[in-house]
Amino acid sequence: FPFTTLFRSRDYRGASLVDTVSTYSTGAYEKTVTGLSAGSYSFKAQYDGDDTYQGSTSSSLSVIVQNHTYSLSISSDKQIILTTESVTITGTMLKDSSAYASQSVDLYDGVTKIATLTTDSDGEYEETVSGLSVGVHTFKAVNSNVESSTISITVNEPTHTYSLSIASDKSS
């Protein structure tokens, strides 16, 4: 079928042509619309007709687009630790500047996922990490909507101090 379908979007600004697409041989068509700002939209498909087929316009499909702003922070209680110590990594997830509870957050050390956490009612998460090897470790938090910046933790070997006492047992 050589039908061409016109998609029209109608909102408070009026009608506008979204795209022109061809139908499949079954007469079906599809179109993914991206980049819409928040608001209400109504879509219709229209075929203008030709010498063989009469024109037609579909009923409206209403869509509400809600764009949200997400943020995910990350911090730690220490920037330098010893291999024998732990570090606590914390952060907060926000949706539209409000706490975002019950969200899954993956914590990464470099490219290795080390934990999957869930934000609490205040949008906060926390993980205590221990057993880190010597070197600089770069951590980030990742959610399906947003990724945090990175923080670096330097891990050093403990310094061992030895003392030697010499006592004389010499009696005269």
Side-chain angles (χ1 to χ4, degrees):
F1 293 107
F3 299 155
T4 301
T5 304
L6 302 176
F7 286 83
R8 297 191 184 271
S9 170
R10 182 177 301 276
D11 61 12
Y12 68 91
R13 292 178 295 266
S16 62
L17 175 66
V18 174
D19 200 1
T20 301
V21 296
S22 296
T23 59
Y24 299 117
S25 60
T26 61
Y29 57 87
E30 64 181 89
K31 173 65 182 167
T32 301
V33 180
T34 60
L36 295 174
S37 58
S40 296
Y41 296 87
S42 177
F43 293 92
K44 287 185 178 185
Q46 177 180 319
Y47 173 64
D48 291 331
D50 61 18
D51 292 341
T52 308
Y53 299 99
Q54 182 178 359
S56 178
T57 300
S58 72
S59 57
S60 293
L61 170 67
S62 295
V63 176
I64 297 174
V65 176
Q66 296 177 337
N67 294 332
H68 297 286
T69 302
Y70 299 92
S71 67
L72 184 59
S73 67
I74 188 169
S75 63
S76 65
D77 62 340
K78 303 170 196 165
Q79 284 72 45
I80 300 173
I81 64 169
L82 301 176
T83 56
T84 56
E85 298 177 316
S86 62
V87 61
T88 300
I89 298 174
T90 60
T92 304
M93 182 160 185
L94 302 175
K95 176 182 174 184
D96 299 329
S97 301
S98 296
Y100 200 23
S102 304
Q103 295 304 299
S104 179
V105 174
D106 293 327
L107 185 62
Y108 286 85
D109 178 359
V111 296
T112 304
K113 181 166 55 170
I114 61 170
T116 298
L117 312 167
T118 302
T119 58
D120 63 18
S121 61
D122 295 322
E124 297 176 350
Y125 66 90
E126 179 178 308
E127 179 74 1
T128 299
V129 180
S130 60
L132 294 172
S133 60
V134 171
V136 176
H137 293 259
T138 303
F139 294 92
K140 71 178 173 181
V142 177
N143 171 271
S144 60
N145 295 303
V146 66
E147 185 173 303
S148 74
S149 59
T150 59
I151 58 169
S152 294
I153 308 294
T154 302
V155 181
N156 295 317
E157 281 288 345
T159 303
H160 298 285
T161 304
Y162 299 96
S163 72
L164 178 62
S165 299
I166 301 176
S168 170
D169 187 23
K170 193 174 192 183
S171 314
S172 14

